[in-house]
Amino acid sequence: MADFKFMNYENILLHKKDAIAYVTVNRPKVLNALNLATMEELRAAFIDIKDDASIRAAILTGSGEKAFVAGADISELAKHGAVSAKEYTHRGQSVLDLMENLGKPVIACINGFALGGGCELALACTLRLASETARLGQPEVKLGIMPGYGGSQRLPRLVGKGIANQLLLTGEMITAQEAHRIGLVNEVTSPAELIPRAEAIAQKIIANAPLAVQYTLEAVNQGMEMTQAEGLYLEAILFGICCATEDKTEGTTAFLQKRPAQFKGK
């Protein structure tokens, strides 16, 4: 277990229940804006989740009813010059890389504004669910800057170059329904159903073999950056590793015996 379990968070909440870790950005007075301290707490929380074998999925959301994460903390951002801003961006990108490659699914529950760094935070998650009241966008160009937490890279990979360019260059906000239409979010729910729906999806994933889930995530994430031939080679290797696990023996045996499988992540 990581030492971070006992860390006293000031800007986020971390709660664990039924194999799910709930991470909530908790700065409602500034619409959950991301400052450096918040990013470092997110890093600590996700290292904890990665290292905790009892946790099989994570749900990420924002506190209050107005915002998931409304963006970066502009008062902090305004102070950066070229050198410090490059370092600031690298540090933030490494937190999102940790989330994206956690080996466990991270479900973003977008409960309000997800703008700039907030939209980028959601893009790094495995799945994105949005409340009907959510609004998403990358408005950085309106501030004389550009996305710095992966928005220029993950957004085109998710929704395609043309639509990504429209969002990135206009900086305009879109509704949850439009985000669903373009493939930016997986589903749109009522505000009350947002977390329960994420929990239902998480439980479906948790019922499956942990290593199979981990290797599938790895195949998708790494394969996106490869040629198809390279991706197929990676898939074959990871498939082979799956076939050497106790879970594969249990899963196939349970299927043949017509009983539920009891996976152990081994």
Side-chain angles (χ1 to χ4, degrees), residues 63-130:
S63 67
E65 296 177 4
K66 291 183 180 178
F68 171 69
V69 168
D73 192 318
I74 305 303
S75 61
E76 189 176 80
L77 191 64
K79 298 171 186 172
H80 283 293
V83 174
S84 66
K86 183 171 179 288
E87 171 63 21
Y88 167 87
T89 301
H90 279 313
R91 287 181 71 164
Q93 286 177 347
S94 69
V95 177
L96 271 62
D97 285 344
L98 168 66
M99 292 166 52
E100 186 172 45
N101 299 296
L102 198 68
K104 303 174 183 183
V106 182
I107 303 174
C109 285
I110 305 166
N111 55 310
F113 292 113
L115 305 174
C119 189
E120 290 169 306
L121 197 63
L123 286 169
C125 293
T126 315
L127 306 171
R128 284 153 296 282
L129 307 184

Side-chain angles (χ1 to χ4, degrees), residues 3-194:
D3 294 333
F4 297 114
K5 184 172 185 195
F6 305 106
M7 182 171 174
N8 186 22
Y9 297 110
E10 294 181 7
N11 301 291
I12 69 170
L13 304 171
L14 175 60
H15 171 64
K16 298 176 181 180
K17 183 183 177 186
D18 298 334
I20 300 173
Y22 298 80
V23 181
T24 306
V25 181
N26 187 34
R27 302 183 74 212
K29 289 181 181 176
V30 289
L31 298 180
N32 303 323
L34 298 174
N35 60 5
L36 194 57
T38 306
M39 293 302 289
E40 289 307 315
E41 289 187 14
L42 284 170
R43 186 196 310 277
F46 279 101
I47 289 173
D48 177 342
I49 292 164
K50 188 181 181 78
D51 291 345
D52 188 343
S54 71
I55 295 300
R56 298 281 311 285
I59 290 175
L60 175 67
T61 193
S63 67
E65 296 177 4
K66 291 183 180 178
F68 171 69
V69 168
D73 192 318
I74 305 303
S75 61
E76 189 176 80
L77 191 64
K79 298 171 186 172
H80 283 293
V83 174
S84 66
K86 183 171 179 288
E87 171 63 21
Y88 167 87
T89 301
H90 279 313
R91 287 181 71 164
Q93 286 177 347
S94 69
V95 177
L96 271 62
D97 285 344
L98 168 66
M99 292 166 52
E100 186 172 45
N101 299 296
L102 198 68
K104 303 174 183 183
V106 182
I107 303 174
C109 285
I110 305 166
N111 55 310
F113 292 113
L115 305 174
C119 189
E120 290 169 306
L121 197 63
L123 286 169
C125 293
T126 315
L127 306 171
R128 284 153 296 282
L129 307 184
S131 159
E132 293 161 343
T133 58
R135 297 291 182 271
L136 299 90
Q138 299 282 170
E140 285 89 348
V141 288
K142 293 176 181 282
L143 301 176
I145 54 173
M146 61 176 284
Y149 285 173
S152 69
Q153 303 306 305
R154 288 189 179 95
L155 189 60
R157 283 167 168 79
L158 189 64
V159 302
K161 184 178 174 183
I163 290 173
N165 274 337
Q166 189 173 346
L167 289 170
L168 293 165
L169 300 179
T170 63
E172 66 184 9
M173 269 194 298
I174 59 171
T175 63
Q177 292 76 13
E178 176 65 3
H180 181 249
R181 188 188 72 80
I182 64 175
L184 177 49
V185 301
N186 294 66
E187 296 180 17
V188 179
T189 75
S190 68
E193 278 299 307
L194 187 60

